[in-house]
Structures are given as C-alpha cells and as structure tokens.
Amino acid sequence: MPLKTINPTQTKAWKKLSSHFNDIKNCHLKQWFDEDKNRADRFTIKWEDFYFDYSKNRINSETVKLLKELTEEIDLKDAISKYFSGDTINQTENRAVLHTALRLPQNSELIIDGKNIVSEINIVKAKMESFTNDIINGNRKGYTGKSFTDIVNIGIGGSDLGPSMIVEALQFYKNHLNTHFVSNIDGDHVNEVIKNLNPETTLFIIVSKSFATQETLTNATTIRQWLLQNLPKAAVSKHFVAVSSNIEKVKAFGIDESNIFPMWNWVGGRFSLWSAVGLSISLSVGYSNFESLLEGAHKMDEHFKNNPFDKNIAMIMACLSIWYNNFFEFETEAVVPYSQYLNRFPAYLQQAIMESNGKNVDRNGESIDYQTGTIVWGEPGTNAQHAFFQLMHQGTKTVPTDFIGFAKSLYGNTEHQDKLMSNFFAQTEALMNGKTKKQSKPYKAFEGNRPTNTILIKKLTPESLGKLVALYEHKLFVQGIIWNIFSYDQFGVELGKELAGNILQELNNSKKEDHDSSTVRLINYYKSLD
Ligand code: F6P
C-alpha cells in the first residue's frame, strides 16, 4: 500500500502549532527552567544505555502535545507499519525500504513476495562470517601464499561513508588488519592509498550497489592495473571481492561469482552498512562485533516501533527538528559528538539526511511551498569549541545542536574523560542560559536561549553505535513522512553526473557541446594548461 499523501501545513495540528509558535517564540529557556524545577525530568527519556535530555529546547508541554497531534494527523503509525513490513514506500523507484530487515534476529520471518527474506539475509551473513574468519586468521591467503595485512574498500557515497565512519568509530575494537578507503575520483586519492601497500598482502573490496558508479569503477580499474603490474592475472580472483546487487556487471569486471557478496534492491545505498556493504567493518573488528552493531540497531528499531510519542527518542528528535526548521525557520542544525572516534559521523549523516530529505516535490507530485530537508553539519567536541562555537554562542543565527557523549572512556583515563565531559555539560548550559548579567561591554554578553539535545550514552560499543545510527535513520524517516516527500530516492544527483559525462568527452576532444560562456571559458582555460 502506498504512503498517505497529507500536506502537513494543511493539518489542524500545523495551524495550532503556528499560533502556539507566536505565543512562545520569545520565551527564554532560562526562565522556563527557573519556573519549573521538574522540566529536565519531564523532557528526558531513559532507554537502555541511552539518556536523552531534550529539556533545553524551546518547547513546553503544549508544544510536545501539538507535535504529537501532528504525527497522529498525518498517520505516522500507518507509515511505520508500512516501513517495517516491506511495503513499496520508495514509490518513485518502486521498491521497499528494508534495511531494518538486515538486523532482524536470525530466526525471524519477513515474507516479501512469498519469500522469507530473513533466510536470504542469513545466507549472505554466513558467507560474510566465514570469509571474515578466514581472512582474519590467515586461512585465506593472497596469490603468493601470504596472509592479508591490509583491506581496501573501494566505493563512494553509501558504499563508503557508512563503513568508513563505523570502522573509524570502532577502532578500539580493531584487529591486526589495516583498513583503507578509496572513494574520490581524484586520482591522487587512490595513489596516496596504494603507494604504501604491498599487493601480495592486500585485499580489495569493490563496493557498489549498482556497479555502475564512475568513481568506483575507475578506482577499481586503476587498482587492478596496479596489481597486475606486480602479480599475474590469476591473482585477481585472490585479491578482489565485490559487494553489489548487479551480479552480471561484477562478473563482467572479472570477479568470480564465489567472490561476490550480494545485496538487494530494497537496501538503499545510504542505509546499506548493515548489509554486505559492511564487510570492511566485519573484517576490521571481527564478525561478532559486526553482529553486535546489528543487534544494537535492531533494539533501536523496536524502541522506535513500539514506544509512544513522548517516550520515543527518534520521534521527538524528528519533531523538534521540524519545529525549528518550519516554525522558527532556523537554517541549519549541528551534530557535535564528544568523541574523536565519531569524527566521521557528521559526514555520514550529511548523506543519510540530506540525500534523503532534500526534496522539493511532495508525494502528490506537487511543488512544495514549505521547508523540507535540514542542513546538517558538525565536528567532534572539544575541537568544535575552538572552531565554530563562537557563532553558536554569539552569532546572529541559531543552530539547534545535538550533543552526543559517552560516559565511559574506552582507555579509562578519567582525568581526560572528566575534562571532556565537563566541556560537554558546560556547553549546553552556556548555550541555554547565556549570561544575562548586565555587561558594560556588549561584546561580552551572551543572549542564550540556544536549543540543544543531549544524548548521553554509557559507553561506545558496537551495540550502542548501532543504536545511535539507527536512531538518526528513524529520525529522518519521520521527517520525510511528515513533510510528505519521498525520502528514499535521489534523482537530484543525476543531472551533474550526466553533464560530467558530456564534458569528459569534450576534454577528450571527442565531442563538442553548447555551454554558457562561463563554462566554455573554464573548459578552454583548463585545456590550455595541458
Ligand atoms: O550519490 C548517489 C549514489 O547513488 C548514492 O545514493 C550511493 O550511495 C552512491 O551513489 C554509490 O552508489 P553505488 O553503491 O551504486 O556505487
């Protein structure tokens, strides 16, 4: 069944939210905290090892009630049931959206087109497990009989950002294998990666759902040529494996069928780290840690599916973001993890969120006259404090921010950890309170009232990381449903690819195209530098 197509701005709840917004837009958070000693308690959700405090947001109980009404009026419940049961909710590509199925327990059942897809998933997982074990313990060797020391993931977008973000985040749990990622078509990237590698001990994983992506195929071809400068052709089957849903194209590239890890068209690229796209994760931290990551995500799926609005972290986060995007009209939102391990988390979220919800046509095919897709950015704290926090505290823009922290450090250095966490707590307090004391110098005043969420997690583990990533997946799902858009296609990336293809032929002098005068001059200047 298709998703409902309700324009959110035409709902009663939206109209009530608009008038409520006018009532409270000038209220100061500090005053609310002063007046209500239970505010933090009322606006906190404790779930498993997560402590989610959203009390430092520009909301009161009425706001939460109206946001909940909005989710009821657009029938979020119906959308959630279609999402998890495999309805074709990616209607523009005629596909289901089932990354959540990849983390179902082994003995589950999910029947799609008469087949239990969990059995198919289990087969691929078993293949990943035995391959991972064979590489890690050295049973499977390279062409010259040496064990592998290095793994290179060749992919881009969802075939790179998810695995590379997780591998970096879980480096504490890593084994002896060195993991590298090649994504950019920039030839300097691939050359920098391969320059220190020994072809005899390196395994390459080509990851491309479509197996048609220019960057990935170009990098894979360059790497295969480099390998063949050092080893005979028969080495290719020992050193290359692929993850793809396009088996024929992979075989045409010269990879044995036994070296292909399949994926399905119901796994979107930016949600694919849970599939065989996560092979580099499994190789880096071992298969059981990869399973724990999936288990964490599954727990978050259950939390999201089963909890009422006011106990549901993803729903609250999604609606707060809509509150700021559509009512306050704040331009962007930031994600600041207080963990260097999560260095790539903001970049990962940029694809997940902005490729999903950057849409200007609604599910009726009509142009949209309200704001959708939020702009997401961020960097780890405390580094971010010494970079863009000035603007967050005193700039003319308000940037609602998620603060993500872990109570325990992995190496157990309490001195560093207490310093880190004191900054974590101080920043949200400062952003909220400001400094209202009369200042003789206006430059030293802080107006405060800057909203934040605090996500405090006990410890960074594969399981808690799985929960965190799934949380943001569900947040963006809820937002897409409310905005009445299709979150799971990405036609907006096609035009640039098409034009680049044409210009490439011009650079090779095999074609002449019409362009605007700026583009013509740029191309000519580039060619004149040959
Ligand atoms: O950037 C567009 C996109 O299609 C992403 O959605 C996807 O993650 C990426 O390209 C890579 O695609 P593939 O895995 O098919 O190479």
Side-chain angles (χ1 to χ4, degrees), residues 93 154-161 207-217 243-245 263 268-272 277 351 355 488-494 497:
E93 294 184 318
I154 311 166
I156 196 164
S159 299
D160 165 72
L161 286 162
V207 185
S208 177
K209 182 180 169 188
S210 59
F211 222 77
T213 303
Q214 185 195 43
E215 289 89 339
T216 305
L217 295 188
V243 179
S244 184
S245 61
M263 57 191 288
R270 52 193 175 275
F271 308 97
S272 62
V277 170
Q351 189 206 13
E355 198 167 82
Y488 296 99
D489 60 26
Q490 56 285 316
F491 297 112
V493 301
E494 295 306 326
K497 289 186 194 171

Side-chain angles (χ1 to χ4, degrees), residues 24 27 36 72 97 113 203 206 230 270 289 309 315 387 421 463:
I24 68 159
C27 295
D36 175 6
E72 287 163 357
V97 174
D113 297 333
L203 176 76
I206 310 174
N230 299 283
R270 52 193 175 275
N289 279 322
F309 184 81
M315 286 187 197
M421 295 312 280
E463 185 180 311

